[in-house]
Amino acid sequence: MAETATIDVAIIGAGIIGLSTAFKLQEAGRTAVLIDRRGIAEETSRGNAGAFAFSDVIPMATSGVLGKLPKWLSDPLGPLTIRPEYLPQITPWLLRFWRAGWPDRVAASLKAQSAMMRIARSEAEALIATAGLEPLIRRDGVLELYESEAELRNTARDDAAKAAEGIEFRHVRGAELAELQPSLSPKITAATFIPKWQTVQDPYDYAVAIGRAAMDRGASFRQAEIVQLRPQDDSVILELGDGSALRARQVVVAAGAWSHRLTRPIGDDIPLETERGYNTTLPGYSFDLRRQLVFGGHGFVVTPLASGIRIGGAVELGGLSLPPNFKRADAMLQKAARYMPGLVTTGGTQWMGFRPSLPDSLPAIGFSRRSRNIVYAFGHGHLGLTQSAGTGKLVANLLTGAAQPIDITPFSPQRF
Ligand SMILES: Cc1cc2nc3c(=O)[nH]c(=O)nc-3n(C[C@H](O)[C@H](O)[C@H](O)COP(=O)(O)OP(=O)(O)OC[C@H]3O[C@@H](n4cnc5c(N)ncnc54)[C@H](O)[C@@H]3O)c2cc1C
C-alpha cells in the first residue's frame, strides 16, 4: 500500500447516522473523514418520512403486528409484503423476528429503546441548537388517525408507552379533529394528537446541513466504495473499490443496509436485512396539509415537507438487489386519496429506500469482535433519523473512551 497520511476516524457511510456521528466526533475533538460511494445522504436518509418518532419505543415484532401478518401478507400491495423470490433468504431473519415478539424479549427491548430515545431526543435538541438547524424543524405535532373507536382502543399499549415517557398526547374527535386537519374523509372518526411531535422540513436538507456543520468543524468527505476492512494492531486498513487503500486509526461502519457486507468478513455475521419502503412526493398544492398524518392501520404516513407532500411507508422484504415495485407507491397514494378527498395525486416523484433492520428493532452500536478500533453503527430500521444524534454521541463516546449515559449492552452487535 502506498502510504498516505493516517486518517483519525474514517466513517463509512454518509447517511444520517454517519453524518451525525461525524458531527458528534468533531465536537469531541476528533477528526472525521466521511467516505461514501454515492455522495452525502443519497440513499435511505434522503427520502424518508422525516419524523422524530421519539415515542415509538415498541418493537415491530409485537403480538399486535404478528397477529395482523396473515391479513397484511394476503394483500400483495398492502402494508407488508415478502417478495416470493426472497422468502428463502429472509426466513432465518423472520424466525428471529418472531422470537423477538415473545413477552420477555419485548420487555427488554422496550426498556433499551426507551433509554435510547431519551438520549436521542436530548442529543438531537443539542445538535439542532449548536448547528443552527432550527429553521429545518417543524414542531406542529402529528395526528395518528383511526376509523373506529375500536381501533382507537387498540392503541392502549402505545398510549401507556407514551405516558411512561412523559410524552404529551390526547385523543381528538369531531370539531377538534377537523380543526387540526380539515377535509379528511368522515371515515376517520378519531385520532391521537401528539402536539410536540417534530418533523424535519426535508430529511435530505437536514442530513446535508449536518454534514455541512460537521465539515465547518473540520470533518471532510471522500467519495469512494470500501470493499474490505483489514484490522491491524493500532489501526485499520480500508481497501477501496479502485484498488487503492487508506489507513485510519479508527473506523465507524455506518453503511446502513449494506453494513453486514463489511462486518461479515471480519467475523461479525449480523442478521441485518432491509425493510424496503416506498413513497411519492407530491407538489405542495396537492392538499391543505396542516401537520404529519399517520394512517397506522394502512402502514403509511403523510408528511408536509418544504418541497411538497410525501405519502408512503409500508414494508417490503425483498433484499438489496431486486428491482423496486412502484405499484406499492401507487397503492398508498390511491389509499390516501380515499381518506383525503380532493388530494391531487398527479405530478409526484416516486422513491424507494432501504431501511437497515435487525429483527429486534434495536440498532447495532458497539465494537467489532476483531478490533476495538472498529465501531458499528447501523440497523436503525424505521428510526434512523430519530436516533441519529443519539447514536452519534454513543459512538463518539466509544471512540474517545468517555462514559456512556445509558447501558449500551442491549445494542451489542454480538447479541444475536
Ligand atoms: C419509506 C421510509 C420512511 C422512513 N421514515 C422515517 C422517519 O420518519 N423517521 C425516522 O427516524 N426514520 C425513518 N426511516 C428510516 C431511516 O430513513 C433510516 O433508518 C436511516 O435513513 C438509515 O440511515 P443510515 O445512515 O444508517 O443509512 P443510509 O442513509 O442508507 O446510508 C448508508 C450509506 O452507506 C453508503 N455505503 C454503503 N456501503 C458502502 C461501502 N461499502 N462503501 C462506501 N459507502 C457505502 C451508502 O451509499 C449510503 O449512503 C424511513 C425509511 C424509509 C425507507
Side-chain angles (χ1 to χ4, degrees):
M1 179 180 94
E3 275 301 324
T4 51
T6 301
I7 293 167
D8 184 19
V9 184
I11 301 177
I12 306 170
I16 192 67
I17 299 297
L19 294 162
S20 304
T21 300
F23 183 87
K24 295 287 180 184
L25 274 168
Q26 294 300 141
E27 278 196 324
R30 303 295 299 271
T31 306
V33 177
L34 284 150
I35 304 172
D36 197 296
R37 59 186 179 200
R38 297 224 28 221
I40 291 181
E42 287 297 338
E43 289 280 2
T44 322
S45 302
R46 184 183 181 99
N48 63 47
F52 286 104
F54 299 121
S55 52
D56 282 7
V57 290
I58 297 179
M60 296 299 289
T62 57
S63 48
V65 169
L66 293 171
K68 281 184 204 149
L69 280 185
K71 180 170 170 252
W72 283 353
L73 287 172
S74 66
D75 175 359
L77 298 178
L80 174 69
T81 337
I82 304 176
R83 296 278 286 257
E85 57 274 58
Y86 198 65
L87 186 58
Q89 273 126 295
I90 192 94
T91 299
W93 187 93
L94 285 173
L95 290 173
R96 287 180 191 274
F97 181 77
W98 168 73
R99 177 65 182 94
W102 292 20
D104 59 327
R105 296 277 176 96
V106 171
S109 177
L110 201 56
K111 191 168 166 229
Q113 197 70 297
S114 300
M116 171 54 130
M117 288 302 193
R118 282 193 287 276
I119 293 301
R121 189 159 32 159
S122 60
E123 290 299 331
E125 288 300 343
L127 189 156
I128 289 163
T130 320
L133 304 186
E134 189 58 34
L136 300 183
I137 309 299
R138 289 180 68 122
R139 298 180 188 272
D140 47 12
V142 66
L143 284 167
E144 298 174 348
L145 304 171
Y146 314 112
E147 290 170 70
S148 67
E149 289 298 313
E151 196 183 349
L152 173 63
R153 277 195 299 278
N154 278 341
T155 64
R157 187 177 181 160
D158 287 346
D159 290 353
K162 287 183 188 99
E165 288 307 306
I167 289 164
E168 192 189 316
F169 67 95
R170 63 180 187 273
H171 297 145
V172 294
R173 301 171 179 80
E176 189 178 10
L177 173 53
E179 193 180 324
L180 289 165
Q181 179 55 62
S183 311
L184 287 175
S185 154
K187 283 193 225 130
I188 301 295
T189 56
T192 300
F193 178 47
I194 309 176
K196 294 199 176 135
W197 180 272
Q198 299 153 39
T199 55
V200 290
Q201 296 280 4
D202 188 291
Y204 177 67
D205 294 346
Y206 179 75
V208 168
I210 293 176
R212 200 173 298 129
M215 288 182 216
D216 287 347
R217 288 161 176 77
S220 57
F221 173 76
R222 175 166 178 167
Q223 188 158 358
E225 173 158 30
I226 305 302
V227 291
Q228 203 181 342
L229 296 176
R230 283 198 282 120
Q232 313 290 298
D233 285 345
D234 58 354
S235 62
V236 182
I237 293 173
L238 299 89
E239 291 184 4
L240 275 59
D242 66 4
S244 65
L246 298 168
R247 186 188 289 272
R249 275 184 202 96
Q250 291 174 307
V251 168
V252 179
V253 179
W258 299 268
S259 298
H260 54 323
R261 292 181 174 170
L262 293 169
T263 70
R264 195 175 295 139
I266 53 169
D268 285 305
D269 195 2
I270 297 164
L272 182 71
E273 272 294 343
T274 179
E275 294 178 68
R276 297 150 54 125
Y278 292 83
N279 58 41
T280 306
T281 306
L282 297 170
Y285 58 74
S286 304
F287 196 78
D288 176 18
L289 184 64
R290 303 291 169 87
R291 48 184 47 81
Q292 190 171 50
L293 307 177
V294 176
F295 292 84
H298 299 284
F300 69 86
V301 303
V302 181
T303 310
L305 298 174
S307 56
I309 294 176
R310 181 163 292 162
I311 299 179
V315 167
E316 180 186 66
L317 300 174
L320 294 166
S321 312
L322 291 175
N325 174 8
F326 283 113
K327 284 186 188 150
R328 301 185 63 77
D330 292 332
M332 286 185 277
L333 200 53
Q334 296 318 319
K335 225 175 243 177
R338 291 215 294 273
Y339 294 98
M340 300 164 66
L343 176 74
V344 179
T345 56
T346 50
T349 307
Q350 294 180 319
W351 177 83
M352 183 189 77
F354 296 92
R355 297 183 191 92
S357 299
L358 291 161
D360 57 4
S361 304
L362 300 177
I365 301 171
F367 291 111
S368 85
R369 194 183 297 273
R370 275 273 291 283
S371 166
R372 290 179 77 83
N373 294 321
I374 302 177
V375 168
Y376 300 153
F378 56 81
H380 296 77
H382 295 241
L383 297 167
L385 169 65
T386 308
Q387 298 183 335
S388 51
T391 299
K393 182 67 178 176
L394 297 177
V395 171
N397 288 345
L398 280 172
L399 291 175
T400 57
Q404 293 293 12
I406 58 169
D407 175 17
I408 65 161
T409 46
F411 311 111
S412 165
Q414 288 81 32
R415 67 185 181 273
F416 298 101

